[in-house]
Amino acid sequence: MTAHSGAMPLVSVVMSCYNAERWVSEAIDSVLGQSMPDFEFIVLDDGSTDNTARILEERAARDGRIIVVRKPNTGLGDSLNQGIARARGEWIARLDADDVCERERLARQLEAARRDGAVVFVGSGLKLIDEHGRVFATHRYPTSHRRLVTHLRHVMKFPPHSSALVRTEALRRAGGYRTRIRRAQDWDLWLRLSALGRLTCVDAPLVRIRKHSSQVSHEEGGRRQLTDCRLGLVSDCIRRLGGADPVDASEEVYITFRTWLEARLVAVGLYRLEDLGQRAAATGSVLRAGAALLRQPLDGIRLLWARWTGERLALRLAREWLYDHSTTKPNWSDQGRRTDQ
């Protein structure tokens, strides 16, 4: 591990790397080039087997703000939790090793955070880049807390993980990343964080998010990503309905919950809709995508409606779980109705 000075930084940038030699130098350069220099940069090498460790040590030797932590491969969530535990900054900024920050990212996000002392999360817009760094799309997101929470709860577009600036105290109070949720762990964390303070977003695209074929979100054709996202969503609804969170329960209860949820997602056709959406997107053409959706018109309409208005499945599944697995049958009252608003 590389030593750091005793001064307390304002921001701790936390990045986890696994076999990231192709793009990690560009990611590091984008952090070191920030216009706001008051930060430490905690980089965790999650058991890489390529040249990542050598690159990190060479970069740390040239800039004392870089703190390199080498560790066995335990996955993204556990690595980030270790970074959070070491962080000394008032704020923690996230960045993935294949993404890039714009020069004003930290300064612009801190400016937004200072406008409201209750803010615990600041996201930003993004530019999508390909494997060669070429921009092919720009996305912007809501800036109000209410709309951001709505987007979280209904699986609508939300600022990317690599754009997050989070108040360290709130992040630790939320419990950090839950390692049982190995994909979409950020979505689950933001849901829990939203109960502790306000979310906001800078409209400008302050990060560049790289799209490439080796991303972990493609695991099992995206099925693991979809499942883990709904684990976070349904457990959030269960908590808001007053139930015990099954993701935090014993291993037996958690496995039962996960198996039950996967079966329900099959029964309601969510995996089928996701497959249809991926096939349509892979055509690379709006017309061909439309033709693909028309070949399964009912599913196509369901998919487009969910993408436009958001998904309303989580609350129904939470109620089913509580009804089937609670020792006393719940009385939903007005609280249950409000959770889907």
Side-chain angles (χ1 to χ4, degrees), residues 91 104-124 143 165 167 198-204 206:
W91 295 88
E104 297 296 323
R105 177 200 165 174
L106 294 181
R108 295 280 302 274
Q109 289 186 299
L110 285 168
E111 179 185 4
R114 290 184 180 118
R115 297 190 196 114
D116 183 349
V119 163
V120 295
F121 170 96
V122 186
S124 84
T143 58
L165 179 78
R167 194 179 297 274
R198 296 178 61 78
L199 314 182
T200 191
C201 182
V202 177
D203 182 63
L206 300 179

Side-chain angles (χ1 to χ4, degrees), residues 75-253:
L76 179 61
D78 181 66
S79 291
L80 295 179
N81 283 340
Q82 292 192 37
I84 292 165
R86 294 174 182 272
R88 298 177 301 139
E90 180 183 350
W91 295 88
I92 289 176
R94 275 284 295 119
L95 184 69
D96 286 334
D98 49 1
D99 297 333
V100 181
C101 296
E102 304 296 354
R103 176 173 168 76
E104 297 296 323
R105 177 200 165 174
L106 294 181
R108 295 280 302 274
Q109 289 186 299
L110 285 168
E111 179 185 4
R114 290 184 180 118
R115 297 190 196 114
D116 183 349
V119 163
V120 295
F121 170 96
V122 186
S124 84
L126 65 87
K127 293 178 182 177
L128 290 177
I129 58 175
D130 64 17
E131 297 190 23
H132 306 288
R134 295 175 297 216
V135 176
F136 63 89
T138 300
H139 294 290
R140 300 173 187 270
Y141 302 92
T143 58
S144 75
H145 172 78
R146 182 175 180 178
R147 288 194 63 201
L148 285 168
V149 171
T150 296
H151 278 226
L152 275 175
R153 291 178 179 173
H154 300 316
V155 203
M156 300 166 75
K157 291 184 177 180
F158 192 82
H161 200 178
S162 274
S163 78
L165 179 78
V166 187
R167 194 179 297 274
T168 306
E169 180 273 333
L171 185 52
R172 289 172 176 160
R173 191 148 50 98
Y177 296 88
R178 298 200 287 185
T179 55
R180 282 174 167 171
I181 299 180
R182 295 183 62 85
R183 302 287 177 260
Q185 59 269 89
D186 54 327
W187 208 274
D188 171 65
L189 177 55
W190 309 150
L191 284 164
R192 288 180 285 119
L193 198 67
S194 69
L196 302 178
R198 296 178 61 78
L199 314 182
T200 191
C201 182
V202 177
D203 182 63
L206 300 179
V207 292
R208 281 172 270 162
I209 305 299
R210 198 181 307 269
K211 293 296 181 181
H212 54 91
S213 58
S214 58
Q215 287 175 307
V216 295
S217 59
H218 295 155
E219 181 184 22
E220 301 175 13
R223 180 169 175 147
R224 179 63 186 260
Q225 182 92 358
L226 183 150
T227 303
D228 281 7
C229 178
R230 274 59 183 187
L231 279 171
L233 285 162
V234 177
S235 67
D236 173 68
C237 287
I238 290 171
R239 291 192 303 272
R240 290 187 287 117
L241 288 167
D245 189 335
V247 177
D248 289 335
S250 68
E251 185 70 8
E252 180 182 2
V253 171

